Amino acid sequence: MSSDGGVPPAADGPPAGASRTVVLLTLAAIAGACTMGVEIAAVRILAPWFGASLVVWTNVLEVILLGLALGYLIGARASAGERPLQRLAAALTCGALFTAWLPSLAGPVCGAFLPDRVALHDAAPLLLWGSLAAALTLFLLPATLLGAVGPLVVEELQRAEGLHAGTAGGRVLAASTGGSLVGALLTTHVLVPHPALGLERTFGLFGICLAGCAATAWALARRRGSGVGPALPLAALAALPAPFAARLETPAPDPALRLLAVRESPYQRVRVVEEREGERGLRYLQVNEGFDSFQSAWSPRRGLLGEGFYYDDFVLPAWWARASGDFRVLVLGLGAGTVHRVLSGALPAGARLRMVGVELDPDVVELGRAHFELAEAEDLEILTGVDGRVALRALGGGFHCVVLDAYANQVEIPPHLCTGELFAEVREALAEGGWLAANVGGFGFDDPVVEGVAQSAAWAFESDVLLLRVPGARNYTLFARRGAPVPLPGTPEWDVPAPVGPALLAPREVPGGWRVVAPPQAPPLSDDRNGIELLQYRSLSEGKERLRRGA
Amino acid sequence: MGPELVCAALLLAAPRQDGDAVEALARGDLAGALDAAQAATAGAPRAQLEAEVYHRARDFPRVLRACREGLEAEPGNLVLLWRAAAAEIWLQDGARAAAWTSRLEGALDVADLDEAVEAQWRGTAADFRARADALSAAEAAARRCLERAKLVTVALVGAAGGGLALALRRRAGV
């Protein structure tokens, strides 16, 4: 078949044909697709416990690469034997089994490395070591088995067709890499976010594909006259029920909360929970819910949510500005619509809210519509599926306030949404005298994340910015103003009438309640040099000590 | 009467040099209360007011600082011990919360209190004790998880690395 460097076929092999080559390369392609699919979905399986930060991604990639390296060597050794096809079938069968049932193993394994509802300030070492240990336990073996497929297929091609090692290896690598490409696209855009599939069935599907590959390898082995016992085919059958039987156990909500809905979005695992008891009847939207945090809150009553909720601070610019008439607000990171709900019930009399809310994840907005009374109205336009920075450029200027509340996963600020350049774009989107109001998670005014974001904003606005500590929370709100100074305690501009002033400003008027950050020479976070992930890791690592030390 | 009311009663019943501070507290003017307290009082009463202001501002490290200063002057001050234990619970430090609770229980043993009021304090101390124990248990669970994760990582990476080395060695024909 091959004229490019062919060598005589092995004397003991059956006649080689184009169809056999295609079948073997297809096996390599499917194994490649499943390997890449497992790699991508692996992060999603870990995310409900450990998030999907750079640390977790790196740990998963390390483990998959370690497994593949090990698998290549094991495959290379196995291919030196007399029956590479049987060994290929065995590797695929075991790979199918482990892959198909991975979701069922994930809960117990991750739970062993991360206790229930761990406090955010205890999370840093567990994020690093726990995600690494869980990834090793769950994914090292399947990656090793799938890694062994390539060398075995190369060997079989070489023996059956008499190809040079380089020719056979090149073809297998091309098929496998092409399969990986398809696997990555399908996993991200079709399988995981598909309402009928999700993570559990995606892994089940990978398992069935690999079991099908294993069956094909047995068939080829049988045609060649090599005996295959019943054990392997029977074992492969065990992968078949996985899409319907495997269950991904995720961290349970706090016992004081009732689960209302859960969804696997293209970006994250999202759930809605509700307080079981108490008069407040609050609901929360939680994302990758391993820690004691939430991303949106809903109260039956519009307006201020009360102590511990940073969202309330976002009404302050309207009060400080003595707003009247249309008050145009752009929210980057609308979530399930908490900012709209708070502002629509707590603006000064005479101010009319005109809000544009941008939320990247359409499933978050869907859950907001279903459980948080989020709806387009005269005062709210919702843009979904659009990145905040893209929307900022597209929407033009003239806003009285831009609210930045963009968190990915549990505690991660997307790097492109905290840079000096981003804040410069926000400044351009504001009317003269307009306000930036941003939520920054942290454990003190000297928290590396709080400092980094505040200094980057101050650089872009070329003036002092104001940080307020949120009482009873691990958040800080950041205020900057285009072309005007921010108000400070003790000045007439600071004072706001009841009920907003006493509720929001009084706790900030004592030492430790606020801080001004001056603009630096250069932004610590820029599009070019952005260490936000490291700052976040430092923030969590030092959080407990910083929390004790105080502002 | 809950502990909040007990505390308020103690604040109001104390001989007052700090009427302005108490009035400002009642108005919700925390900065005014702090200024008035620092101008008019000293020792445990001043620390008590400062702790109250910072407690209302939910600035627990400052609550603790105020409590420590006040307790140097009056080691058995129930309100300061109570505020300190509550602050440690908010800061989620089980061991320190338990230590403050023990001091509170010790102070209650020697305090001359009305029976009903003492029962309230004892109930509060028992609640603190339970919450401190729960925090300590959670911290211990986190420590165990971390140790387990490190052990599993070292074992699996070691096994995989050993396997790689062995396979490479054999391939090289050593």
Side-chain angles (χ1 to χ4, degrees), chain A residues 306-344:
Chain A
E307 184 188 301
F309 292 98
Y310 63 86
Y311 308 97
D312 290 354
D313 281 357
F314 295 145
V315 307
L316 286 170
W319 287 89
W320 279 329
R322 277 69 175 161
S324 62
D326 285 353
F327 190 71
R328 296 190 64 213
V329 179
L330 170 63
V331 182
L332 303 177
L334 179 68
T338 307
V339 180
H340 175 259
R341 203 162 170 79
V342 170
L343 262 65
S344 64

Side-chain angles (χ1 to χ4, degrees), chain A residues 66 69-70 73-74 76-77 80 111-115 118-122 125-126 129-130 132-133 136-137 140 292 307 469-474 502 506-513 544 546-551, chain B residues 27-31 34 53-54 56-62 64-65 68 88 90-94 96 138-139 141-146 148-150 152-154 156-157 159-161 163-165 167-168 170-171:
Chain A
L66 179 64
L70 204 55
L73 283 175
I74 290 171
R77 278 190 60 77
F113 301 123
L114 189 78
V118 66
L120 212 49
H121 55 247
D122 284 331
L126 289 164
W129 287 98
L132 182 56
L136 281 162
T137 311
L140 184 62
D292 57 348
E307 184 188 301
R469 187 180 59 80
V470 179
R474 296 166 301 214
R508 275 70 178 271
E509 290 167 354
V510 293
K544 190 158 191 172
R546 188 165 280 116
L547 201 60
R548 288 200 59 77
R549 203 169 58 230
Chain B
R27 284 198 311 273
D29 175 8
L30 300 187
L34 195 63
V53 167
Y54 286 121
R56 292 193 191 188
R58 300 293 185 260
D59 187 342
F60 297 101
R62 279 189 162 80
L64 282 169
R65 238 170 279 161
R68 280 196 205 97
E88 292 290 7
W90 195 91
L91 293 169
Q92 296 184 293
D93 193 319
R96 287 192 168 97
E139 287 162 12
R143 272 197 304 276
R144 279 198 303 277
C145 281
L146 185 60
R148 194 179 300 133
K150 286 180 177 174
V152 167
T153 298
V154 169
L156 288 178
V157 169
L164 273 173
L168 283 170
R170 287 193 180 162
R171 293 297 292 169

